[in-house]
Amino acid sequence: MTEAFGRGVRIAGTGRAVPAHVVTNHDLAKIVDTSDEWIAQRTGIRARHKAADHETVFSLGRDALLKALDRAGIKGEELDMIIVASVSGEMLCPSTAARIGEAVGANDAAVFDLAAACSGFLYGMNLADTMIRCGRADRIAIIGVEVLTRLVDWSDRTVSIIFGDGAGAAVLVADPDPRKGCVHQTMHGDGRLWRTLYHPKVPRDVPDNDTANPIRLGYLRMHGREIYKFAVTRFQQAIHEALERTGLKVDEVQHYICHQSNQRIIESAIEKLRLPPERVYVNIDRYGNTSAASIPICLDELFEAGRVESGKPIVLVAFGAGVTWASCVWNT
Ligand code: UT7
């Protein structure tokens, strides 16, 4: 391990993997009472990817990581740690990270899953930066991956229209320049609001006072309006705080990467904080809400398009079930 003090962290490579099958709003309108117009206007979503039987959190996560390793020029066996952020893994035991570790040959790395829903990737990135910066690790892979379409009841239009499947990964490595990497980070949670989005499997999982709509055991239960209001406020606070703490002006940030949950939530932050819209990355129209995968998929698209300039900051913000929220200002 290299000298810990005075070092920074660099994103050495990113990757993504999404199922081939695409479900459009028009497809959904054939099975529930909804329309392309309603979904697009209320969420910004036009289409989402849906996993086939053979596509899993494990396989999508593995494929995203293999691409990230390839771009980073790093072998799996060189990784010190693999963090898989997901709330839709196939098995609780062992972790998805352990299985991905085997698949990429990381046979000596710390491997664990992280359940912070849509904030999971950012929680992982913040933790990884800290671990590398203080010299506990040199190379860490973070994967955000979800197959949420298996957890939604396709006849429930209040939930099924939102979610999509996919994976994104980033490989973080130590860098001699201490200015690189995370220069501001926050991670929060407020468990009093967990009932706004949860996955009840048996009757005892359902709180007594949650009676608003029929309970569908085995499927995600979401109180969309409540989360929406919470997210609008938290997004704005998190971005405002990130700029204030780092002394950055809105136009000194090269990209704002917000969790892709609803385009209207992102637009309200643009309006309120006067963010330059062309610097706020949006791909929700093509992917829907992929929870923990949403931020790393955005990141990978930006890197792949050659749109990430070295030496300039990126602001990342997420919120999700738990409820959780997190932010990070990353110097590239
Ligand atoms: O990643 C974190 C997790 N989740 C989120 O971030 C989700 C945050 N919430 C949202 O994005 C929005 O609340 C939704 C997109 C889920 C819903 O949009 P909304 O503007 O909050 O709609 P609403 O639930 O207030 O419903 C408005 C109307 C209702 O009809 P009435 O009562 O006004 O006649 C609904 O029954 O729209 C109806 N509606 C629909 N109509 C067509 C609800 N879902 C649909 C639908 N298609 N899919």
Side-chain angles (χ1 to χ4, degrees):
M1 215 158 282
T2 53
E3 172 57 58
F5 300 105
R7 68 180 185 170
V9 184
R10 182 169 53 87
I11 299 172
T14 60
R16 68 179 185 278
V18 292
H21 182 54
V22 172
V23 177
T24 65
N25 292 348
H26 294 290
D27 296 329
L28 280 175
K30 288 178 197 150
I31 54 175
V32 279
D33 180 16
T34 191
S35 65
D36 175 53
E37 193 190 9
W38 192 96
I39 301 172
Q41 268 180 10
R42 300 282 180 132
T43 69
I45 300 168
R46 292 274 180 194
R48 72 285 293 143
H49 293 256
K50 183 172 184 290
D53 273 356
H54 68 280
E55 287 164 319
T56 62
V57 163
F58 162 70
S59 72
L60 293 168
R62 173 200 60 201
D63 294 351
L65 177 57
L66 285 170
K67 283 182 197 150
L69 285 168
D70 188 46
R71 289 189 184 140
I74 288 174
K75 293 193 178 70
E77 67 203 45
E78 294 176 87
L79 291 172
D80 297 319
M81 183 179 288
I82 300 176
I83 304 172
V84 173
S86 183
V87 288
S88 52
E90 291 76 44
M91 291 192 276
L92 275 177
C93 181
S95 65
T96 303
R99 296 170 65 210
I100 292 178
E102 180 198 30
V104 303
N107 298 328
D108 192 32
V111 284
F112 65 94
D113 293 353
L114 190 165
C118 313
S119 310
F121 182 84
L122 222 40
Y123 267 45
M125 200 164 160
N126 284 343
L127 288 171
D129 176 272
T130 307
M131 292 288 291
I132 294 173
R133 204 171 277 281
C134 74
R136 303 280 185 220
D138 288 334
R139 287 169 286 270
I140 301 182
I142 310 124
I143 304 163
V145 51
E146 304 286 7
V147 179
L148 287 170
T149 62
R150 289 207 183 109
L151 303 189
V152 302
D153 174 352
W154 286 82
S155 68
D156 179 0
R157 67 177 185 174
T158 65
V159 182
S160 63
I161 57 145
I162 291 269
F163 295 108
D165 302 333
V171 175
L172 307 190
V173 300
D175 190 278
D177 184 349
R179 290 167 302 179
K180 284 194 186 293
C182 181
V183 292
H184 165 82
Q185 61 165 265
T186 61
M187 292 188 272
H188 298 283
D190 184 349
R192 290 172 300 181
L193 297 175
W194 72 263
R195 294 161 190 82
T196 53
L197 177 53
Y198 65 102
H199 182 221
K201 289 185 183 155
V202 291
R204 67 170 175 267
D205 293 339
V206 182
D208 291 342
N209 57 356
D210 189 2
T211 53
N213 298 304
I215 308 285
R216 299 167 169 95
L217 292 176
Y219 297 114
L220 281 176
R221 182 160 174 76
M222 182 171 81
H223 298 284
R225 275 266 126 204
E226 287 175 55
I227 306 181
Y228 186 93
K229 281 187 252 163
F230 163 81
V232 165
T233 314
R234 286 291 176 214
F235 255 20
Q236 292 172 9
Q237 276 176 359
I239 298 173
H240 176 73
E241 187 186 45
L243 295 172
E244 199 177 57
R245 293 277 167 87
T246 52
L248 287 166
K249 297 193 174 58
V250 284
D251 57 0
E252 287 172 335
V253 172
Q254 62 169 318
H255 297 294
Y256 294 86
I257 302 181
C258 304
H259 165 50
Q260 309 285 302
S261 64
N262 185 319
Q263 191 162 340
R264 282 156 58 214
I265 297 174
I266 299 173
E267 277 165 4
S268 71
I270 295 178
E271 201 176 310
K272 181 90 178 172
L273 301 169
R274 298 179 190 280
L275 307 178
E278 69 283 1
R279 298 195 187 185
V280 181
Y281 196 67
V282 174
N283 63 12
I284 193 169
D285 52 323
R286 292 175 283 129
Y287 295 106
N289 178 344
T290 58
S291 185
S294 111
I295 285 190
I297 290 175
C298 291
L299 206 52
D300 184 53
E301 288 193 338
L302 283 166
F303 269 102
E304 191 177 62
R307 290 179 55 193
V308 180
E309 268 185 70
S310 189
K312 289 197 173 168
I314 295 176
V315 170
L316 304 109
V317 275
F319 74 92
V323 294
T324 55
W325 63 104
S327 67
C328 170
V329 179
W330 188 275
N331 267 340
T332 51

